[in-house]
Amino acid sequence: QVQLVESGGGLVQPGGSLRLSCAASGSIRSINAMGWYRQAPGKQRELVARITSGGSTNYGDSVKGRFSISRDNAKNTVYLQMNSLKPEDTAVYYCNADLLRRDTISYRDYWGRGTQVTVSS
């Protein structure tokens, strides 16, 4: 079994900061890319940020310059530092990992259950 567990969400005022964490655990052989997606009520899930095992990153246009993704490969953990938060950043944030389990031969996507981020005064 593989689990992705997010933490760090909550309520923050506009202009504030939050740091999300996501730890992958279980029978994992290798992880390629890890990332964060978000879904606001009534909207489709969208990419926030993604990072490869080598450290290459890409960001959604709406968060460029404000959010920063990083990872600790030794801990199978990905982080999302969110600065200058806006009310439109309010959403459920989901962790994603493209990983290879020890008992399989192909990579596949795994998702966390999500953590709520609310930006409001």
Side-chain angles (χ1 to χ4, degrees), residues 33-36 47-60 63-65 67-71 78-80:
M34 300 184 79
W36 292 92
L47 170 71
V48 177
R50 192 169 180 268
I51 184 169
T52 68
S53 57
S56 297
T57 59
N58 64 295
Y59 295 89
V63 306
K64 286 179 181 177
F67 291 11
S68 177
I69 189 169
S70 61
R71 67 188 279 177
V78 63
Y79 306 95
L80 184 68

Side-chain angles (χ1 to χ4, degrees), residues 26-103:
S27 183
I28 299 170
R29 184 182 301 277
S30 176
I31 303 179
N32 274 338
M34 300 184 79
W36 292 92
Y37 291 74
R38 68 186 182 187
Q39 187 166 19
K43 294 189 176 181
Q44 288 189 331
R45 190 173 295 190
E46 64 174 358
L47 170 71
V48 177
R50 192 169 180 268
I51 184 169
T52 68
S53 57
S56 297
T57 59
N58 64 295
Y59 295 89
D61 288 342
S62 62
V63 306
K64 286 179 181 177
R66 300 188 297 122
F67 291 11
S68 177
I69 189 169
S70 61
R71 67 188 279 177
D72 184 334
N73 291 331
K75 295 181 179 180
N76 289 339
T77 299
V78 63
Y79 306 95
L80 184 68
Q81 178 66 42
M82 304 185 293
N83 299 326
S84 302
L85 282 160
K86 305 175 181 180
E88 51 263 44
D89 294 318
T90 296
V92 178
Y93 284 68
Y94 296 92
C95 177
N96 169 266
D98 177 32
L99 64 84
L100 177 67
R101 286 171 41 171
R102 293 188 184 278
D103 59 346

Side-chain angles (χ1 to χ4, degrees), residues 102-120:
R102 293 188 184 278
D103 59 346
T104 61
I105 59 172
S106 58
Y107 286 82
R108 55 154 285 195
D109 272 344
Y110 288 82
W111 293 88
R113 292 190 172 189
T115 184
Q116 177 70 45
V117 171
T118 302
V119 184
S120 174

